[in-house]
Amino acid sequence: MAIATLLPATTAFIQRAPRMLIGAEWVEAADGQTMPLHNPATGEQLCVVPRATVDDVDRAVLAARQAFDDSPWSRTRPRERQNLLWKLADLMQRDAELLAQLECLNNGKSAAVAQVMDVQLAIDFLRYMAGWATKIEGSSVEVSVPLMPDQQFHSFIRREAVGVVGAIVAWNFPLLLACWKLGPALATGCTVVLKPADETPLTALKLAELVQEAGYPDGVFNVVTGTGITAGAALTHNPRVDKLTFTGSTAVGKEIGKIAMDSMTRVTLELGGKSPTIVMADADLGSAAAGAASAIFFNQGQVCCAGSRLYVQRKHFDNVVADIAGIANAMKLGSGLDASVDMGPLISARQQERVWRYIEMGRDSGATIACGGERFGPGYFVKPTVIVDVDQQHSLVQEEIFGPVLVAIPFDDEADALRMANDSPYGLGASIWSNDLAAVHRMIPRIKSGSVWVNCHSALDPALPFGGYKMSGVGREMGYAAIEHYTELKSVLIKL
Ligand code: NAD
């Protein structure tokens, strides 16, 4: 057993009860209220952070507004924005182990995995976005202007930063999700108020320290810690915010979308998923089973695009399910500080209870638990679970569980697989496991999801847009698509 020793800097960060960053100030909540954070592996309290009030959020938005409208930041050239983002990424690289340990303590995930996945992906993404800072282009257009046929014009289209961004994120990849918002915002010249998830604000607060150290002007990045119902709602309703970008549940995303439409605030919504893993009969079944297991069990199944529905061509169904159950049964559960552990705890007692209710629902309705189906403590553990003998219309198949629970159903042919894969309110990701090139190419355009992976699952790259069809969201993150979402177009016509 290799238990990681906490860095002195990790312990010091937690012990000093981190505060929020508003403008240039590290502050408590205006009314002094705090909220406790817990270590999901033990259930013990880690520390407290400020519980932001509506006033705190308003002050943070004002700081971001002033920084956008009238500060050195508003005159920053693309090259400086590029260099600052690189500097920030370098500082994150320097503190990668600290960031990973904070993510582990606060979220429960493996520190070793967080360092090479969450933190490294965030760093790579910021560097990718730094590259865009110097490549944002408008265009010039030769116009006719029918109402003024005798005039000459010079006309061009500018792409301008959208302004103050209100960013609200979920707890499953706290740092990475924050950087998916921060990267395009800082590359384009926006300013940001970030509201991390109630449960996991620690890496966002560390990130804010690094933003200051990188040399960003005050007010460019602000972090308010607090609840969704107060701080999140205050950010959503604030009229000084130009764009909202939200990662979280479909239920909250829909509310935020409606509020944004009321004020015509620009909005991007990255929401829930129930992504299918489709294993065709011709697939390399060994790697398909391993891939399907990792598609659902990585990060304790708390992944928006987790492969939580498994469809296997009938003649191999029992074998593939048995292989996945074998992998699940061999997984070691424990603290994310133990590098030999395969799966950590869920984020909270509430999430453990939610996942447990689904497992019980499956049992009560006569489904078969092929493996797992147990929970334990201390901490919020649920064993990796595979459920079979469920109908496509069952809540286990239709609803997002957001835990290490896989439902598996056999299919007869390609049409059957596509019908069931698309029979979902969600459309975030899907994977096809097959070596039949023609079948794969026939299926890709017919799958209704924002990403399709072939012989892999949840493989993300900064250059590839990521987002959802249907109830999985509106808009895209990553790639040039993200730059488009953080900019407005302005048409300019000059009469010569
Ligand atoms: P959640 O919707 O409960 O919370 C997400 C964030 O919204 C938190 O910061 C929360 O404080 C805030 N919030 C809650 N109520 C609010 C309100 N009324 N107004 C404003 N903000 C509010 O989601 P969660 O449980 O934290 O995260 C899990 C969900 O996130 C899952 O559905 C998962 O699929 C989704 N997710 C999606 C993506 C993606 O890229 N599509 C990525 C990660 C997670």
mmCIF file with all atom_site columns, all heavy atoms in Angstrom, residues 168-172 195 197-198 228 232 246-249 252 270-272 304 400 402 466, ligand 1:
data_model
loop_
_atom_site.group_PDB
_atom_site.id
_atom_site.type_symbol
_atom_site.label_atom_id
_atom_site.label_alt_id
_atom_site.label_comp_id
_atom_site.label_asym_id
_atom_site.label_entity_id
_atom_site.label_seq_id
_atom_site.pdbx_PDB_ins_code
_atom_site.Cartn_x
_atom_site.Cartn_y
_atom_site.Cartn_z
_atom_site.occupancy
_atom_site.B_iso_or_equiv
_atom_site.pdbx_formal_charge
_atom_site.auth_seq_id
_atom_site.auth_comp_id
_atom_site.auth_asym_id
_atom_site.auth_atom_id
_atom_site.pdbx_PDB_model_num
ATOM   1   N N   . ILE A 1 168 ? -20.474 28.686 -13.426 1.00 0.00 ? 168 ILE A N   1
ATOM   2   C CA  . ILE A 1 168 ? -20.944 27.840 -12.315 1.00 0.00 ? 168 ILE A CA  1
ATOM   3   C C   . ILE A 1 168 ? -20.621 26.396 -12.683 1.00 0.00 ? 168 ILE A C   1
ATOM   4   O O   . ILE A 1 168 ? -20.975 25.955 -13.782 1.00 0.00 ? 168 ILE A O   1
ATOM   5   C CB  . ILE A 1 168 ? -22.473 28.009 -12.115 1.00 0.00 ? 168 ILE A CB  1
ATOM   6   C CG1 . ILE A 1 168 ? -22.820 29.470 -11.830 1.00 0.00 ? 168 ILE A CG1 1
ATOM   7   C CG2 . ILE A 1 168 ? -22.978 27.091 -11.005 1.00 0.00 ? 168 ILE A CG2 1
ATOM   8   C CD1 . ILE A 1 168 ? -24.313 29.770 -11.788 1.00 0.00 ? 168 ILE A CD1 1
ATOM   9   N N   . VAL A 1 169 ? -19.944 25.680 -11.791 1.00 0.00 ? 169 VAL A N   1
ATOM   10  C CA  . VAL A 1 169 ? -19.506 24.330 -12.169 1.00 0.00 ? 169 VAL A CA  1
ATOM   11  C C   . VAL A 1 169 ? -19.898 23.272 -11.138 1.00 0.00 ? 169 VAL A C   1
ATOM   12  O O   . VAL A 1 169 ? -20.224 23.582 -9.994  1.00 0.00 ? 169 VAL A O   1
ATOM   13  C CB  . VAL A 1 169 ? -17.976 24.268 -12.421 1.00 0.00 ? 169 VAL A CB  1
ATOM   14  C CG1 . VAL A 1 169 ? -17.592 25.127 -13.603 1.00 0.00 ? 169 VAL A CG1 1
ATOM   15  C CG2 . VAL A 1 169 ? -17.186 24.670 -11.183 1.00 0.00 ? 169 VAL A CG2 1
ATOM   16  N N   . ALA A 1 170 ? -19.820 22.023 -11.594 1.00 0.00 ? 170 ALA A N   1
ATOM   17  C CA  . ALA A 1 170 ? -20.149 20.851 -10.780 1.00 0.00 ? 170 ALA A CA  1
ATOM   18  C C   . ALA A 1 170 ? -18.911 20.373 -10.011 1.00 0.00 ? 170 ALA A C   1
ATOM   19  O O   . ALA A 1 170 ? -17.815 20.918 -10.171 1.00 0.00 ? 170 ALA A O   1
ATOM   20  C CB  . ALA A 1 170 ? -20.680 19.739 -11.678 1.00 0.00 ? 170 ALA A CB  1
ATOM   21  N N   . TRP A 1 171 ? -19.101 19.298 -9.220  1.00 0.00 ? 171 TRP A N   1
ATOM   22  C CA  . TRP A 1 171 ? -18.052 18.857 -8.295  1.00 0.00 ? 171 TRP A CA  1
ATOM   23  C C   . TRP A 1 171 ? -17.235 17.675 -8.812  1.00 0.00 ? 171 TRP A C   1
ATOM   24  O O   . TRP A 1 171 ? -16.326 17.202 -8.128  1.00 0.00 ? 171 TRP A O   1
ATOM   25  C CB  . TRP A 1 171 ? -18.668 18.477 -6.943  1.00 0.00 ? 171 TRP A CB  1
ATOM   26  C CG  . TRP A 1 171 ? -19.956 17.688 -7.058  1.00 0.00 ? 171 TRP A CG  1
ATOM   27  C CD1 . TRP A 1 171 ? -21.217 18.179 -6.874  1.00 0.00 ? 171 TRP A CD1 1
ATOM   28  C CD2 . TRP A 1 171 ? -20.114 16.308 -7.410  1.00 0.00 ? 171 TRP A CD2 1
ATOM   29  N NE1 . TRP A 1 171 ? -22.147 17.188 -7.076  1.00 0.00 ? 171 TRP A NE1 1
ATOM   30  C CE2 . TRP A 1 171 ? -21.493 16.021 -7.415  1.00 0.00 ? 171 TRP A CE2 1
ATOM   31  C CE3 . TRP A 1 171 ? -19.234 15.273 -7.719  1.00 0.00 ? 171 TRP A CE3 1
ATOM   32  C CZ2 . TRP A 1 171 ? -22.013 14.759 -7.716  1.00 0.00 ? 171 TRP A CZ2 1
ATOM   33  C CZ3 . TRP A 1 171 ? -19.741 14.015 -8.032  1.00 0.00 ? 171 TRP A CZ3 1
ATOM   34  C CH2 . TRP A 1 171 ? -21.118 13.770 -8.027  1.00 0.00 ? 171 TRP A CH2 1
ATOM   35  N N   . ASN A 1 172 ? -17.569 17.136 -9.985  1.00 0.00 ? 172 ASN A N   1
ATOM   36  C CA  . ASN A 1 172 ? -16.917 15.868 -10.360 1.00 0.00 ? 172 ASN A CA  1
ATOM   37  C C   . ASN A 1 172 ? -15.500 16.046 -10.903 1.00 0.00 ? 172 ASN A C   1
ATOM   38  O O   . ASN A 1 172 ? -14.658 15.176 -10.717 1.00 0.00 ? 172 ASN A O   1
ATOM   39  C CB  . ASN A 1 172 ? -17.794 15.057 -11.316 1.00 0.00 ? 172 ASN A CB  1
ATOM   40  C CG  . ASN A 1 172 ? -18.207 15.816 -12.548 1.00 0.00 ? 172 ASN A CG  1
ATOM   41  O OD1 . ASN A 1 172 ? -18.193 17.042 -12.565 1.00 0.00 ? 172 ASN A OD1 1
ATOM   42  N ND2 . ASN A 1 172 ? -18.570 15.104 -13.588 1.00 0.00 ? 172 ASN A ND2 1
ATOM   43  N N   . LYS A 1 195 ? -18.269 30.399 -9.613  1.00 0.00 ? 195 LYS A N   1
ATOM   44  C CA  . LYS A 1 195 ? -18.912 29.812 -8.414  1.00 0.00 ? 195 LYS A CA  1
ATOM   45  C C   . LYS A 1 195 ? -18.661 28.314 -8.497  1.00 0.00 ? 195 LYS A C   1
ATOM   46  O O   . LYS A 1 195 ? -19.329 27.598 -9.236  1.00 0.00 ? 195 LYS A O   1
ATOM   47  C CB  . LYS A 1 195 ? -20.423 30.107 -8.447  1.00 0.00 ? 195 LYS A CB  1
ATOM   48  C CG  . LYS A 1 195 ? -21.092 30.235 -7.099  1.00 0.00 ? 195 LYS A CG  1
ATOM   49  C CD  . LYS A 1 195 ? -21.078 28.994 -6.247  1.00 0.00 ? 195 LYS A CD  1
ATOM   50  C CE  . LYS A 1 195 ? -22.139 27.999 -6.652  1.00 0.00 ? 195 LYS A CE  1
ATOM   51  N NZ  . LYS A 1 195 ? -21.978 26.711 -5.911  1.00 0.00 ? 195 LYS A NZ  1
ATOM   52  N N   . ALA A 1 197 ? -18.579 24.318 -7.223  1.00 0.00 ? 197 ALA A N   1
ATOM   53  C CA  . ALA A 1 197 ? -19.623 23.531 -6.559  1.00 0.00 ? 197 ALA A CA  1
ATOM   54  C C   . ALA A 1 197 ? -19.524 23.696 -5.052  1.00 0.00 ? 197 ALA A C   1
ATOM   55  O O   . ALA A 1 197 ? -18.428 23.859 -4.508  1.00 0.00 ? 197 ALA A O   1
ATOM   56  C CB  . ALA A 1 197 ? -19.481 22.063 -6.942  1.00 0.00 ? 197 ALA A CB  1
ATOM   57  N N   . ASP A 1 198 ? -20.653 23.623 -4.382  1.00 0.00 ? 198 ASP A N   1
ATOM   58  C CA  . ASP A 1 198 ? -20.712 23.791 -2.925  1.00 0.00 ? 198 ASP A CA  1
ATOM   59  C C   . ASP A 1 198 ? -19.673 22.894 -2.238  1.00 0.00 ? 198 ASP A C   1
ATOM   60  O O   . ASP A 1 198 ? -18.997 23.304 -1.303  1.00 0.00 ? 198 ASP A O   1
ATOM   61  C CB  . ASP A 1 198 ? -22.092 23.387 -2.367  1.00 0.00 ? 198 ASP A CB  1
ATOM   62  C CG  . ASP A 1 198 ? -23.257 23.932 -3.173  1.00 0.00 ? 198 ASP A CG  1
ATOM   63  O OD1 . ASP A 1 198 ? -23.075 24.223 -4.372  1.00 0.00 ? 198 ASP A OD1 1
ATOM   64  O OD2 . ASP A 1 198 ? -24.350 24.064 -2.603  1.00 0.00 ? 198 ASP A OD2 1
ATOM   65  N N   . GLY A 1 228 ? -25.524 26.852 -4.318  1.00 0.00 ? 228 GLY A N   1
ATOM   66  C CA  . GLY A 1 228 ? -26.165 27.145 -5.596  1.00 0.00 ? 228 GLY A CA  1
ATOM   67  C C   . GLY A 1 228 ? -27.377 28.036 -5.419  1.00 0.00 ? 228 GLY A C   1
ATOM   68  O O   . GLY A 1 228 ? -27.597 28.976 -6.175  1.00 0.00 ? 228 GLY A O   1
ATOM   69  N N   . GLY A 1 232 ? -25.089 30.871 -6.495  1.00 0.00 ? 232 GLY A N   1
ATOM   70  C CA  . GLY A 1 232 ? -25.314 30.525 -7.899  1.00 0.00 ? 232 GLY A CA  1
ATOM   71  C C   . GLY A 1 232 ? -26.470 31.319 -8.477  1.00 0.00 ? 232 GLY A C   1
ATOM   72  O O   . GLY A 1 232 ? -26.376 31.885 -9.573  1.00 0.00 ? 232 GLY A O   1
ATOM   73  N N   . PHE A 1 246 ? -22.475 27.216 -17.589 1.00 0.00 ? 246 PHE A N   1
ATOM   74  C CA  . PHE A 1 246 ? -22.879 26.340 -16.491 1.00 0.00 ? 246 PHE A CA  1
ATOM   75  C C   . PHE A 1 246 ? -22.538 24.893 -16.805 1.00 0.00 ? 246 PHE A C   1
ATOM   76  O O   . PHE A 1 246 ? -22.808 24.406 -17.906 1.00 0.00 ? 246 PHE A O   1
ATOM   77  C CB  . PHE A 1 246 ? -24.394 26.469 -16.281 1.00 0.00 ? 246 PHE A CB  1
ATOM   78  C CG  . PHE A 1 246 ? -24.959 25.478 -15.291 1.00 0.00 ? 246 PHE A CG  1
ATOM   79  C CD1 . PHE A 1 246 ? -24.821 25.677 -13.928 1.00 0.00 ? 246 PHE A CD1 1
ATOM   80  C CD2 . PHE A 1 246 ? -25.626 24.336 -15.731 1.00 0.00 ? 246 PHE A CD2 1
ATOM   81  C CE1 . PHE A 1 246 ? -25.339 24.752 -13.010 1.00 0.00 ? 246 PHE A CE1 1
ATOM   82  C CE2 . PHE A 1 246 ? -26.145 23.412 -14.822 1.00 0.00 ? 246 PHE A CE2 1
ATOM   83  C CZ  . PHE A 1 246 ? -26.004 23.625 -13.468 1.00 0.00 ? 246 PHE A CZ  1
ATOM   84  N N   . THR A 1 247 ? -21.952 24.192 -15.842 1.00 0.00 ? 247 THR A N   1
ATOM   85  C CA  . THR A 1 247 ? -21.802 22.742 -15.930 1.00 0.00 ? 247 THR A CA  1
ATOM   86  C C   . THR A 1 247 ? -22.456 22.146 -14.707 1.00 0.00 ? 247 THR A C   1
ATOM   87  O O   . THR A 1 247 ? -22.064 22.454 -13.574 1.00 0.00 ? 247 THR A O   1
ATOM   88  C CB  . THR A 1 247 ? -20.316 22.340 -15.974 1.00 0.00 ? 247 THR A CB  1
ATOM   89  O OG1 . THR A 1 247 ? -19.721 22.930 -17.120 1.00 0.00 ? 247 THR A OG1 1
ATOM   90  C CG2 . THR A 1 247 ? -20.170 20.830 -16.080 1.00 0.00 ? 247 THR A CG2 1
ATOM   91  N N   . GLY A 1 248 ? -23.449 21.305 -14.940 1.00 0.00 ? 248 GLY A N   1
ATOM   92  C CA  . GLY A 1 248 ? -24.143 20.696 -13.814 1.00 0.00 ? 248 GLY A CA  1
ATOM   93  C C   . GLY A 1 248 ? -25.320 19.881 -14.299 1.00 0.00 ? 248 GLY A C   1
ATOM   94  O O   . GLY A 1 248 ? -25.354 19.429 -15.449 1.00 0.00 ? 248 GLY A O   1
ATOM   95  N N   . SER A 1 249 ? -26.291 19.730 -13.428 1.00 0.00 ? 249 SER A N   1
ATOM   96  C CA  . SER A 1 249 ? -27.423 18.855 -13.741 1.00 0.00 ? 249 SER A CA  1
ATOM   97  C C   . SER A 1 249 ? -28.355 19.517 -14.753 1.00 0.00 ? 249 SER A C   1
ATOM   98  O O   . SER A 1 249 ? -28.428 20.742 -14.858 1.00 0.00 ? 249 SER A O   1
ATOM   99  C CB  . SER A 1 249 ? -28.196 18.561 -12.459 1.00 0.00 ? 249 SER A CB  1
ATOM   100 O OG  . SER A 1 249 ? -28.712 19.769 -11.931 1.00 0.00 ? 249 SER A OG  1
ATOM   101 N N   . VAL A 1 252 ? -31.045 21.939 -13.013 1.00 0.00 ? 252 VAL A N   1
ATOM   102 C CA  . VAL A 1 252 ? -30.591 23.314 -12.702 1.00 0.00 ? 252 VAL A CA  1
ATOM   103 C C   . VAL A 1 252 ? -30.263 24.053 -14.002 1.00 0.00 ? 252 VAL A C   1
ATOM   104 O O   . VAL A 1 252 ? -30.585 25.235 -14.161 1.00 0.00 ? 252 VAL A O   1
ATOM   105 C CB  . VAL A 1 252 ? -29.376 23.284 -11.740 1.00 0.00 ? 252 VAL A CB  1
ATOM   106 C CG1 . VAL A 1 252 ? -28.819 24.679 -11.539 1.00 0.00 ? 252 VAL A CG1 1
ATOM   107 C CG2 . VAL A 1 252 ? -29.772 22.676 -10.404 1.00 0.00 ? 252 VAL A CG2 1
ATOM   108 N N   . GLU A 1 270 ? -23.666 22.843 -20.048 1.00 0.00 ? 270 GLU A N   1
ATOM   109 C CA  . GLU A 1 270 ? -23.082 21.492 -20.169 1.00 0.00 ? 270 GLU A CA  1
ATOM   110 C C   . GLU A 1 270 ? -23.739 20.636 -19.096 1.00 0.00 ? 270 GLU A C   1
ATOM   111 O O   . GLU A 1 270 ? -23.452 20.794 -17.911 1.00 0.00 ? 270 GLU A O   1
ATOM   112 C CB  . GLU A 1 270 ? -21.565 21.557 -19.934 1.00 0.00 ? 270 GLU A CB  1
ATOM   113 C CG  . GLU A 1 270 ? -20.801 22.309 -20.985 1.00 0.00 ? 270 GLU A CG  1
ATOM   114 C CD  . GLU A 1 270 ? -20.788 21.610 -22.326 1.00 0.00 ? 270 GLU A CD  1
ATOM   115 O OE1 . GLU A 1 270 ? -21.105 20.407 -22.392 1.00 0.00 ? 270 GLU A OE1 1
ATOM   116 O OE2 . GLU A 1 270 ? -20.486 22.276 -23.334 1.00 0.00 ? 270 GLU A OE2 1
ATOM   117 N N   . LEU A 1 271 ? -24.612 19.723 -19.517 1.00 0.00 ? 271 LEU A N   1
ATOM   118 C CA  . LEU A 1 271 ? -25.508 19.089 -18.543 1.00 0.00 ? 271 LEU A CA  1
ATOM   119 C C   . LEU A 1 271 ? -25.290 17.580 -18.438 1.00 0.00 ? 271 LEU A C   1
ATOM   120 O O   . LEU A 1 271 ? -24.231 17.072 -18.764 1.00 0.00 ? 271 LEU A O   1
ATOM   121 C CB  . LEU A 1 271 ? -26.952 19.450 -18.916 1.00 0.00 ? 271 LEU A CB  1
ATOM   122 C CG  . LEU A 1 271 ? -27.185 20.963 -19.133 1.00 0.00 ? 271 LEU A CG  1
ATOM   123 C CD1 . LEU A 1 271 ? -28.599 21.254 -19.550 1.00 0.00 ? 271 LEU A CD1 1
ATOM   124 C CD2 . LEU A 1 271 ? -26.797 21.767 -17.904 1.00 0.00 ? 271 LEU A CD2 1
ATOM   125 N N   . GLY A 1 272 ? -26.315 16.897 -17.999 1.00 0.00 ? 272 GLY A N   1
ATOM   126 C CA  . GLY A 1 272 ? -26.175 15.485 -17.676 1.00 0.00 ? 272 GLY A CA  1
ATOM   127 C C   . GLY A 1 272 ? -26.077 14.581 -18.890 1.00 0.00 ? 272 GLY A C   1
ATOM   128 O O   . GLY A 1 272 ? -26.176 15.025 -20.039 1.00 0.00 ? 272 GLY A O   1
ATOM   129 N N   . CYS A 1 304 ? -19.896 13.002 -16.561 1.00 0.00 ? 304 CYS A N   1
ATOM   130 C CA  . CYS A 1 304 ? -21.106 13.352 -17.323 1.00 0.00 ? 304 CYS A CA  1
ATOM   131 C C   . CYS A 1 304 ? -21.282 12.448 -18.536 1.00 0.00 ? 304 CYS A C   1
ATOM   132 O O   . CYS A 1 304 ? -22.405 12.123 -18.911 1.00 0.00 ? 304 CYS A O   1
ATOM   133 C CB  . CYS A 1 304 ? -21.060 14.813 -17.730 1.00 0.00 ? 304 CYS A CB  1
ATOM   134 S SG  . CYS A 1 304 ? -19.526 15.256 -18.554 1.00 0.00 ? 304 CYS A SG  1
ATOM   135 N N   . GLU A 1 400 ? -30.126 9.556  -15.260 1.00 0.00 ? 400 GLU A N   1
ATOM   136 C CA  . GLU A 1 400 ? -28.705 9.630  -14.902 1.00 0.00 ? 400 GLU A CA  1
ATOM   137 C C   . GLU A 1 400 ? -28.545 9.288  -13.423 1.00 0.00 ? 400 GLU A C   1
ATOM   138 O O   . GLU A 1 400 ? -29.128 9.931  -12.568 1.00 0.00 ? 400 GLU A O   1
ATOM   139 C CB  . GLU A 1 400 ? -28.178 11.045 -15.172 1.00 0.00 ? 400 GLU A CB  1
ATOM   140 C CG  . GLU A 1 400 ? -26.696 11.168 -14.905 1.00 0.00 ? 400 GLU A CG  1
ATOM   141 C CD  . GLU A 1 400 ? -26.176 12.582 -15.103 1.00 0.00 ? 400 GLU A CD  1
ATOM   142 O OE1 . GLU A 1 400 ? -26.793 13.525 -14.577 1.00 0.00 ? 400 GLU A OE1 1
ATOM   143 O OE2 . GLU A 1 400 ? -25.137 12.741 -15.772 1.00 0.00 ? 400 GLU A OE2 1
ATOM   144 N N   . PHE A 1 402 ? -25.282 8.773  -11.976 1.00 0.00 ? 402 PHE A N   1
ATOM   145 C CA  . PHE A 1 402 ? -24.067 9.498  -11.601 1.00 0.00 ? 402 PHE A CA  1
ATOM   146 C C   . PHE A 1 402 ? -23.322 8.790  -10.483 1.00 0.00 ? 402 PHE A C   1
ATOM   147 O O   . PHE A 1 402 ? -22.956 9.367  -9.461  1.00 0.00 ? 402 PHE A O   1
ATOM   148 C CB  . PHE A 1 402 ? -24.394 10.949 -11.222 1.00 0.00 ? 402 PHE A CB  1
ATOM   149 C CG  . PHE A 1 402 ? -23.370 11.923 -11.744 1.00 0.00 ? 402 PHE A CG  1
ATOM   150 C CD1 . PHE A 1 402 ? -23.045 11.955 -13.088 1.00 0.00 ? 402 PHE A CD1 1
ATOM   151 C CD2 . PHE A 1 402 ? -22.709 12.807 -10.895 1.00 0.00 ? 402 PHE A CD2 1
ATOM   152 C CE1 . PHE A 1 402 ? -22.096 12.841 -13.571 1.00 0.00 ? 402 PHE A CE1 1
ATOM   153 C CE2 . PHE A 1 402 ? -21.756 13.695 -11.370 1.00 0.00 ? 402 PHE A CE2 1
ATOM   154 C CZ  . PHE A 1 402 ? -21.456 13.711 -12.709 1.00 0.00 ? 402 PHE A CZ  1
ATOM   155 N N   . PHE A 1 466 ? -16.770 19.822 -27.150 1.00 0.00 ? 466 PHE A N   1
ATOM   156 C CA  . PHE A 1 466 ? -17.438 18.861 -26.270 1.00 0.00 ? 466 PHE A CA  1
ATOM   157 C C   . PHE A 1 466 ? -18.735 19.479 -25.768 1.00 0.00 ? 466 PHE A C   1
ATOM   158 O O   . PHE A 1 466 ? -18.755 20.601 -25.273 1.00 0.00 ? 466 PHE A O   1
ATOM   159 C CB  . PHE A 1 466 ? -16.534 18.524 -25.076 1.00 0.00 ? 466 PHE A CB  1
ATOM   160 C CG  . PHE A 1 466 ? -17.145 17.533 -24.137 1.00 0.00 ? 466 PHE A CG  1
ATOM   161 C CD1 . PHE A 1 466 ? -17.200 16.189 -24.464 1.00 0.00 ? 466 PHE A CD1 1
ATOM   162 C CD2 . PHE A 1 466 ? -17.685 17.938 -22.927 1.00 0.00 ? 466 PHE A CD2 1
ATOM   163 C CE1 . PHE A 1 466 ? -17.772 15.262 -23.605 1.00 0.00 ? 466 PHE A CE1 1
ATOM   164 C CE2 . PHE A 1 466 ? -18.254 17.020 -22.056 1.00 0.00 ? 466 PHE A CE2 1
ATOM   165 C CZ  . PHE A 1 466 ? -18.297 15.681 -22.401 1.00 0.00 ? 466 PHE A CZ  1
HETATM 166 P P1  . NAD B 2 .   ? -25.950 20.656 -9.823  1.00 0.00 ? 1   NAD B P1  1
HETATM 167 O O1  . NAD B 2 .   ? -26.738 21.124 -10.991 1.00 0.00 ? 1   NAD B O1  1
HETATM 168 O O2  . NAD B 2 .   ? -26.670 20.295 -8.583  1.00 0.00 ? 1   NAD B O2  1
HETATM 169 O O3  . NAD B 2 .   ? -24.889 21.780 -9.390  1.00 0.00 ? 1   NAD B O3  1
HETATM 170 C C1  . NAD B 2 .   ? -23.977 22.320 -10.308 1.00 0.00 ? 1   NAD B C1  1
HETATM 171 C C2  . NAD B 2 .   ? -23.618 23.720 -9.874  1.00 0.00 ? 1   NAD B C2  1
HETATM 172 O O4  . NAD B 2 .   ? -24.793 24.534 -9.933  1.00 0.00 ? 1   NAD B O4  1
HETATM 173 C C3  . NAD B 2 .   ? -23.086 23.836 -8.448  1.00 0.00 ? 1   NAD B C3  1
HETATM 174 O O5  . NAD B 2 .   ? -22.067 24.799 -8.418  1.00 0.00 ? 1   NAD B O5  1
HETATM 175 C C4  . NAD B 2 .   ? -24.298 24.319 -7.676  1.00 0.00 ? 1   NAD B C4  1
HETATM 176 O O6  . NAD B 2 .   ? -23.966 25.050 -6.526  1.00 0.00 ? 1   NAD B O6  1
HETATM 177 C C5  . NAD B 2 .   ? -24.957 25.219 -8.705  1.00 0.00 ? 1   NAD B C5  1
HETATM 178 N N1  . NAD B 2 .   ? -26.393 25.430 -8.505  1.00 0.00 ? 1   NAD B N1  1
HETATM 179 C C6  . NAD B 2 .   ? -27.277 24.595 -7.915  1.00 0.00 ? 1   NAD B C6  1
HETATM 180 N N2  . NAD B 2 .   ? -28.516 25.159 -7.911  1.00 0.00 ? 1   NAD B N2  1
HETATM 181 C C7  . NAD B 2 .   ? -28.387 26.363 -8.514  1.00 0.00 ? 1   NAD B C7  1
HETATM 182 C C8  . NAD B 2 .   ? -29.298 27.401 -8.828  1.00 0.00 ? 1   NAD B C8  1
HETATM 183 N N3  . NAD B 2 .   ? -30.589 27.323 -8.497  1.00 0.00 ? 1   NAD B N3  1
HETATM 184 N N4  . NAD B 2 .   ? -28.838 28.490 -9.477  1.00 0.00 ? 1   NAD B N4  1
HETATM 185 C C9  . NAD B 2 .   ? -27.541 28.578 -9.834  1.00 0.00 ? 1   NAD B C9  1
HETATM 186 N N5  . NAD B 2 .   ? -26.621 27.637 -9.556  1.00 0.00 ? 1   NAD B N5  1
HETATM 187 C C10 . NAD B 2 .   ? -27.045 26.536 -8.904  1.00 0.00 ? 1   NAD B C10 1
HETATM 188 O O7  . NAD B 2 .   ? -25.055 19.461 -10.370 1.00 0.00 ? 1   NAD B O7  1
HETATM 189 P P2  . NAD B 2 .   ? -24.017 18.576 -9.575  1.00 0.00 ? 1   NAD B P2  1
HETATM 190 O O8  . NAD B 2 .   ? -24.761 17.562 -8.795  1.00 0.00 ? 1   NAD B O8  1
HETATM 191 O O9  . NAD B 2 .   ? -23.042 19.461 -8.880  1.00 0.00 ? 1   NAD B O9  1
HETATM 192 O O10 . NAD B 2 .   ? -23.211 17.878 -10.782 1.00 0.00 ? 1   NAD B O10 1
HETATM 193 C C11 . NAD B 2 .   ? -23.601 16.710 -11.375 1.00 0.00 ? 1   NAD B C11 1
HETATM 194 C C12 . NAD B 2 .   ? -24.221 17.003 -12.719 1.00 0.00 ? 1   NAD B C12 1
HETATM 195 O O11 . NAD B 2 .   ? -23.321 17.734 -13.544 1.00 0.00 ? 1   NAD B O11 1
HETATM 196 C C13 . NAD B 2 .   ? -24.517 15.724 -13.476 1.00 0.00 ? 1   NAD B C13 1
HETATM 197 O O12 . NAD B 2 .   ? -25.792 15.822 -14.046 1.00 0.00 ? 1   NAD B O12 1
HETATM 198 C C14 . NAD B 2 .   ? -23.447 15.706 -14.544 1.00 0.00 ? 1   NAD B C14 1
HETATM 199 O O13 . NAD B 2 .   ? -23.788 14.955 -15.683 1.00 0.00 ? 1   NAD B O13 1
HETATM 200 C C15 . NAD B 2 .   ? -23.288 17.149 -14.838 1.00 0.00 ? 1   NAD B C15 1
HETATM 201 N N6  . NAD B 2 .   ? -21.988 17.417 -15.513 1.00 0.00 ? 1   NAD B N6  1
HETATM 202 C C16 . NAD B 2 .   ? -21.991 17.748 -16.844 1.00 0.00 ? 1   NAD B C16 1
HETATM 203 C C17 . NAD B 2 .   ? -20.785 17.964 -17.523 1.00 0.00 ? 1   NAD B C17 1
HETATM 204 C C18 . NAD B 2 .   ? -20.755 18.309 -18.991 1.00 0.00 ? 1   NAD B C18 1
HETATM 205 O O14 . NAD B 2 .   ? -19.722 18.774 -19.459 1.00 0.00 ? 1   NAD B O14 1
HETATM 206 N N7  . NAD B 2 .   ? -21.833 18.091 -19.731 1.00 0.00 ? 1   NAD B N7  1
HETATM 207 C C19 . NAD B 2 .   ? -19.584 17.855 -16.819 1.00 0.00 ? 1   NAD B C19 1
HETATM 208 C C20 . NAD B 2 .   ? -19.623 17.519 -15.469 1.00 0.00 ? 1   NAD B C20 1
HETATM 209 C C21 . NAD B 2 .   ? -20.840 17.304 -14.825 1.00 0.00 ? 1   NAD B C21 1
#
